[in-house]
Amino acid sequence: MARNTLSNRFRKVDIDEYDENKFVDEQEEAAEQQGPDSGEVDGFIRQGDMLSAFHAALRNPPVNMKNQAVKERAQGIVLKVLTSFKSSEIEQAVKSLDRNGVDLLMKYIYKGFEKPTENSSAILLQWHEKALAVGGVGCIVRVLTARKTI
């Protein structure tokens, strides 16, 4: 037998390290930083500045986050802001968003439809009507076909 086959130096390489099926996502350490800041949003609501609360709630969404608690907390904050608006102020708030903002709002609206609370469906339907008027049907298609979920 050849001398090279008796050597065991080749066994020190960990081949599992290079396995494609064992991918580890490194976003878990930034889990606390994802999602809107509830203190900031509550402060704006107490001051009566609903437009700033709306923009703060839509800032830093937990897109593609695996931590379900962070997603539900963000959904709760956005739903609280949406239900705090007066019906007459909804259109102005939706028009203040860009295209990506309207798409994000529509994602939160559909997420709110999945788990309705008391009287939230009627309010979300009002928001949906205004977001559809601003974003068009393309907004709905982009939300329903998006891979990045909130």
Side-chain angles (χ1 to χ4, degrees):
M1 240 176 150
R3 242 175 121 166
N4 289 340
T5 57
L6 297 176
S7 174
N8 63 1
R9 284 186 298 172
F10 70 92
R11 295 183 183 166
K12 293 182 182 180
V13 176
D14 184 18
I15 60 168
D16 291 332
E17 177 182 340
Y18 303 107
D19 188 10
E20 293 176 359
N21 296 329
K22 292 191 176 189
F23 177 73
V24 177
D25 197 6
E26 297 177 6
Q27 292 181 351
E28 294 299 324
E29 58 198 38
E32 289 82 28
Q33 299 171 356
Q34 289 290 333
D37 183 19
S38 62
E40 180 184 15
V41 172
D42 288 338
F44 284 133
I45 291 175
R46 278 193 298 272
Q47 293 172 1
D49 191 3
M50 296 308 297
L51 195 59
S52 296
F54 177 64
H55 287 288
L58 293 179
R59 193 177 319 125
N60 198 13
V63 178
N64 277 348
M65 193 72 164
K66 291 190 178 20
N67 190 348
Q68 202 60 28
V70 173
K71 287 184 171 188
E72 289 178 7
R73 185 180 64 84
Q75 172 63 27
I77 292 170
V78 172
L79 189 61
K80 180 170 58 171
V81 171
L82 295 181
T83 56
S84 300
F85 263 84
K86 296 177 184 174
S87 297
S88 59
E89 299 172 343
I90 293 175
E91 188 171 2
Q92 175 193 1
V94 174
K95 285 184 178 179
S96 69
L97 297 173
D98 61 344
R99 188 181 109 177
N100 292 333
V102 174
D103 289 352
L104 179 63
L105 173 64
M106 197 65 89
K107 284 182 183 181
Y108 278 117
I109 290 170
Y110 283 129
K111 192 75 165 177
F113 284 143
E114 287 179 12
K115 297 178 182 175
T117 59
E118 184 178 328
N119 199 25
S120 68
S121 295
I123 295 168
L124 289 174
L125 279 172
Q126 291 176 349
W127 279 95
H128 186 273
E129 176 189 3
K130 303 302 182 186
L132 178 63
V134 172
V137 177
C139 176
I140 295 174
V141 173
R142 285 189 297 274
V143 169
L144 294 179
T145 60
R147 293 181 185 261
K148 296 180 178 182
T149 61
I150 55 166

